[in-house]
């Protein structure tokens, strides 16, 4: 079997032997944890100690890219930012079995955060501000950029070129809608000169653990180079259900350690749209993994793509209106705006 087949069919022998080869003595007790991108297990070793072993999905990250993730975690730990870095055993943190890379973490007790409010918003803002402060100190070397060519367009091309949308008129409608949103993203980046730096990349509440020691950020698997607002929008309780003061509480903590320009908030909706596309491509790229068709049974149907397209059109229209209002407010000498001001391929 190749590494992908071993990954799809991990056996207890492979899982437990991976720990034994590092010098541990597993008791045989192990529990699969909630991860579909990688394979992650809670394993008990002697003296009731528990470890977490993570098998990286083959062909996603190479050794250098995983090493850069681990190095960033080490930087954060040295700065006493509460994150959970992998264990170093014999001078190494990346190991290999059956063509798969894997790493081991100590188990961190705590609970996943269901809701952020009040002083918790300030504390998490402080945590993220410290993370971004460290992120600015060095440049990314091997990880991707959250830009159009390397991140967004590749995802769109994979879906269109791979004929994942069988209805050709719907595929064209989807592609045009996405390209218009990409143009808005590029426009905001350029107009406000938004900086890129090392960020978490997938900072949602599922990757935030709270315990008696406080908050801790987990799972830097999507660590990349991008705008800091990417680490905000999945984490903050924005929208109709949020309090007007939620963002202010968060920024009170964040700005103790990192500067923040409120113009960067303009990127939130474009980033949501890019994630729609990236998420769909993420599923499509993993469709041969036996777990994915069962987890996403409606993926790829015409109903699925129609809903995605309508949602994207709605989000894009709201974004266009918001940016048009902002453009009028910041450029009072411009009395009329047309769609050509926002879309790179608008012909009407």
């Amino acid at each position: 079997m190749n590494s992908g087949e071993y990954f799809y069919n991990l056996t207890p022998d492979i899982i437990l032997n991976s720990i034994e080869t590092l010098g541990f003595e597993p008791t045989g007790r192990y529990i699969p944890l909630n991860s579909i991108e990688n394979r992650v297990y809670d394993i008990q070793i002697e003296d009731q100690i528990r470890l977490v072993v993570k098998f990286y999905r083959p062909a996603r990250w190479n050794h250098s890219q995983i090493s850069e993730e681990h190095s960033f975690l080490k930087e954060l730990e040295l700065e006493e930012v509460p994150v959970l870095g992998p264990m170093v055993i014999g001078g190494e943190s990346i190991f290999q079995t059956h063509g798969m890379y894997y790493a081991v973490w100590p188990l961190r007790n705590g609970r996943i955060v269901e809701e952020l409010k009040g002083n918790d918003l300030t504390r998490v803002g402080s945590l993220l501000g410290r993370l971004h402060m460290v992120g600015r100190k060095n440049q990314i070397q091997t990880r991707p950029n959250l830009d159009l060519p390397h991140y967004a367009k590749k995802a769109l091309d994979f879906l269109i070129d791979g004929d994942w949308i069988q209805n050709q008129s719907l595929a064209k409608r989807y592609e045009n809608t996405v390209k218009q949103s990409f143009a808005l993203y590029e426009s905001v980046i350029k107009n406000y000169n938004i900086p890129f730096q090392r960020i978490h990349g997938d900072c949602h509440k599922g990757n935030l653990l709270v315990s008696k020691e406080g908050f801790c950020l987990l799972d830097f698997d999507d660590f990349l180079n991008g705008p800091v607002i990417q680490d905000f929008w999945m984490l903050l309780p924005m929208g109709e259900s949020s309090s007007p003061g939620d963002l202010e509480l968060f920024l009170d903590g964040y700005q103790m350690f990192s500067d923040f320009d409120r113009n960067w908030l303009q990127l939130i909706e474009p980033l949501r749209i890019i994630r729609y596309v990236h998420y769909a491509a993420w599923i499509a790229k993993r469709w041969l993994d036996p777990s994915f068709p069962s987890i996403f049974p409606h993926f790829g149907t015409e109903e699925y793509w129609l809903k995605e397209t309508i949602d994207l059109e709605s989000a894009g229209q709201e974004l266009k209106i918001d940016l048009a209002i902002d453009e009028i407010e910041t450029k009072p000498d411009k009395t009329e705006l047309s769609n050509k001001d926002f879309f790179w391929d608008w012909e009407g």
Side-chain angles (χ1 to χ4, degrees), residues 100-117:
M100 299 175 290
Y101 293 118
Y102 71 98
V104 180
W105 276 259
L107 181 72
R108 174 72 179 265
N109 289 317
R111 60 180 175 81
I112 298 298
V113 177
E114 298 292 336
E115 184 180 10
L116 285 173
K117 58 184 179 180

Side-chain angles (χ1 to χ4, degrees), residues 19 24-29 43-51 87:
I19 292 295
F24 299 108
E25 295 183 12
T27 64
R29 175 192 175 279
I43 297 179
Q44 186 180 74
I45 60 173
E46 67 275 13
D47 300 324
Q48 302 297 310
I49 297 171
R50 289 157 63 190
L51 302 176
M87 298 175 68

